[in-house]
Amino acid sequence: GAGVSQSPSNKVTEKGKDVELRCDPISGHTALYWYRQSLGQGLEFLIYFQGNSAPDKSGLPSDRFSAERTGGSVSTLTIQRTQQEDSAVYLCASSLARLLGYEQYFGPGTRLTVT
Amino acid sequence: RKEVEQDPGPFNVPEGATVAFNCTYSNSASQSFFWYRQDCRKEPKLLMSVYSSGNEDGRFTAQLNRASQYISLLIRDSKLSDSATYLCVVNIGTGRRALTFGSGTRLQVQP
């Protein structure tokens, strides 16, 4: 079946511009996560959506970052006034929420470069 | 102290070798555990879950030691294709930020 898809796969933008990154989770998955991964680093949690509950935004690094999830499916991560330190791979993951474990399935990521 | 700690490596081993990675976690309330694999410039992919009784999947064996708060991954008969970064992942419970990822251990299998 179809996995998690993300678009665009690569994005180069000028410092100060806004960008939107899109994630299409696996159909039926109620949980959706955004992470970012800088070169050679681990995954940094950004935001988590679970069903219709209020999202957990505790990982967003600044108020320039926001995300929404429409209709419980597609999600968009928006970065306003991009800075060079925002350059990273932005990964989206989805999962079926389970009582004891959350096996997450990742999309291929969006590689963002801010020049 | 990091919530999930791994030796970054790299572990350089010859084909056919057995190699083991450990990962320690700080939160004793952690409930479930996973190993993910990440190839260079690719997304992480689930390798295996780690069960309390230990579990095996082909050449891969995962074990959990709750008393010492660590999990391990053993790879037998290493293949060139096993070269990747192995991420230790811990779920501390329900809700927010439930999955915490380690920074990964890099494995390089050499011919």
Side-chain angles (χ1 to χ4, degrees):
Chain A
V4 178
S5 62
Q6 291 186 246
S7 60
S9 54
N10 282 284
K11 176 74 176 177
V12 180
T13 190
E14 290 180 354
K15 178 181 170 181
K17 301 279 180 134
D18 298 352
V19 295
E20 281 190 355
L21 313 179
R22 177 187 167 105
C23 171
D24 275 283
I26 292 172
S27 177
H29 280 192
T30 57
L32 187 149
Y33 298 78
W34 282 98
Y35 298 87
R36 74 176 174 182
Q37 188 172 32
S38 301
L39 189 63
Q41 302 297 310
L43 273 70
E44 176 187 1
F45 166 79
L46 297 177
I47 187 169
Y48 161 54
F49 296 89
Q50 171 57 54
N52 295 320
S53 303
D56 172 10
K57 305 179 183 180
S58 60
L60 295 178
S62 78
D63 59 7
R64 297 186 294 104
F65 288 73
S66 63
E68 61 178 23
R69 188 178 185 191
T70 53
S73 181
V74 172
S75 177
T76 302
L77 176 70
T78 301
I79 308 173
Q80 296 178 311
R81 305 181 302 282
T82 51
Q83 303 295 313
Q84 288 184 329
E85 61 262 28
D86 299 335
S87 296
V89 176
Y90 288 80
L91 291 159
C92 174
S94 70
S95 74
L96 282 169
R98 298 181 183 180
L99 183 62
L100 293 180
Y102 294 72
E103 295 180 13
Q104 296 186 357
Y105 297 86
F106 283 82
T110 294
R111 186 172 300 276
L112 175 67
T113 304
V114 182
T115 61
Chain B
R1 184 184 172 188
K2 289 183 181 177
E3 291 179 294
V4 178
E5 290 204 68
Q6 295 183 252
D7 181 342
F11 284 58
N12 295 304
V13 303
E15 269 187 293
T18 295
V19 61
F21 311 132
N22 279 347
C23 161
T24 58
Y25 59 94
S26 61
N27 192 322
S28 60
S30 299
Q31 295 187 1
S32 51
F33 310 87
F34 307 91
W35 283 101
Y36 277 70
R37 169 192 170 128
Q38 186 171 27
D39 292 287
C40 189
R41 299 175 77 86
K42 297 285 190 180
E43 73 274 19
K45 292 186 177 177
L46 179 66
L47 178 65
M48 59 196 303
S49 302
V50 186
Y51 303 124
S52 296
S53 55
N55 50 301
E56 189 173 306
D57 183 2
R59 298 181 293 108
F60 298 83
T61 300
Q63 291 194 312
L64 167 64
N65 184 319
R66 284 192 185 273
S68 300
Q69 294 183 207
Y70 76 84
I71 66 172
S72 64
L73 177 67
L74 181 79
I75 305 175
R76 289 181 299 278
D77 189 23
S78 301
K79 311 290 185 193
L80 294 176
S81 58
D82 294 334
S83 298
T85 296
Y86 291 83
L87 305 172
C88 171
V89 185
V90 174
N91 178 347
I92 63 171
T94 58
R96 61 184 293 277
R97 299 187 63 180
L99 280 189
T100 302
F101 285 75
S103 297
T105 297
R106 190 163 149 242
L107 172 66
Q108 185 67 46
V109 181
Q110 296 163 334

